[in-house]
Amino acid sequence: MKHYTLLRFVKLNLYFFGMYGLLTAAWFGITGRFSEESTGAINEILVNAAIFSLLFTIALLLWYRRTEVRIPVKSISPKALDQKLEEIGYEHIPGKDKGAVQVYKPRPPKAPALAGRLFVQKSANFYHLQGPVSQLKSLEV
């Protein structure tokens, strides 16, 4: 839960860097650009992959930005909250509870997989839900 956005940024950035680099290298191999100047082609692939992955990762993190919503404990029961979260497309991960925090993962097609996990923590008076803004807006309690 702590530093979740930073962890998502690093994972997405590495994933897009690797995939863009591999696909571009495959394309350069098919078109024969490595035979002309291999070091220049490799540098071009790495620079383009770094720029693409950075821009695409920032775009995804802005698209699925995260927020915290507080729901009063008196207004909804834990089972009803689970049901509401299932309606918006999140399912509980039973083995991933981190202390008092329950972890929910998106289940497409209702919730996009790139939206990331949703964390629910119960305090004395509130349920603290941390997740993507677009999904938590649709949660009506």
Side-chain angles (χ1 to χ4, degrees):
M1 193 167 98
K2 189 174 184 181
H3 306 298
Y4 182 72
T5 303
L6 179 63
L7 289 173
R8 284 195 66 213
F9 176 78
V10 170
K11 286 179 185 177
L12 286 172
N13 203 3
L14 289 174
Y15 172 76
F16 291 130
F17 180 80
M19 291 307 295
Y20 187 84
L22 286 175
L23 292 173
T24 306
W27 178 251
F28 279 16
I30 291 170
T31 59
R33 291 199 44 196
F34 282 122
S35 60
E36 300 167 3
E37 186 182 336
S38 62
T39 57
I42 291 172
N43 286 338
E44 183 180 349
I45 290 171
L46 292 177
V47 168
N48 288 342
I51 292 170
F52 169 78
S53 65
L54 181 66
L55 292 176
F56 198 67
T57 303
I58 289 172
L60 278 177
L61 290 177
L62 289 175
W63 184 269
Y64 295 115
R65 67 187 182 276
R66 302 184 66 79
T67 189
E68 180 176 344
V69 174
R70 296 186 331 175
I71 300 173
V73 172
K74 294 180 182 179
S75 68
I76 190 168
S77 69
K79 287 186 180 184
L81 181 62
D82 279 344
Q83 185 179 9
K84 292 282 188 184
L85 292 175
E86 284 184 17
E87 287 174 6
I88 64 169
Y90 280 87
E91 66 181 350
H92 183 258
I93 305 173
K96 292 280 187 173
D97 292 344
K98 298 176 181 178
V101 178
Q102 296 177 341
V103 182
Y104 291 80
K105 70 176 183 177
R107 189 181 59 228
K110 290 183 180 179
L114 290 174
R117 294 182 175 172
L118 187 125
F119 300 101
V120 177
Q121 183 176 10
K122 182 181 178 184
S123 66
N125 297 324
F126 294 100
Y127 293 108
H128 300 273
L129 283 74
Q130 293 181 352
V133 172
S134 59
Q135 297 301 111
L136 291 179
K137 277 184 184 177
S138 63
L139 182 67
E140 296 175 6
V141 178

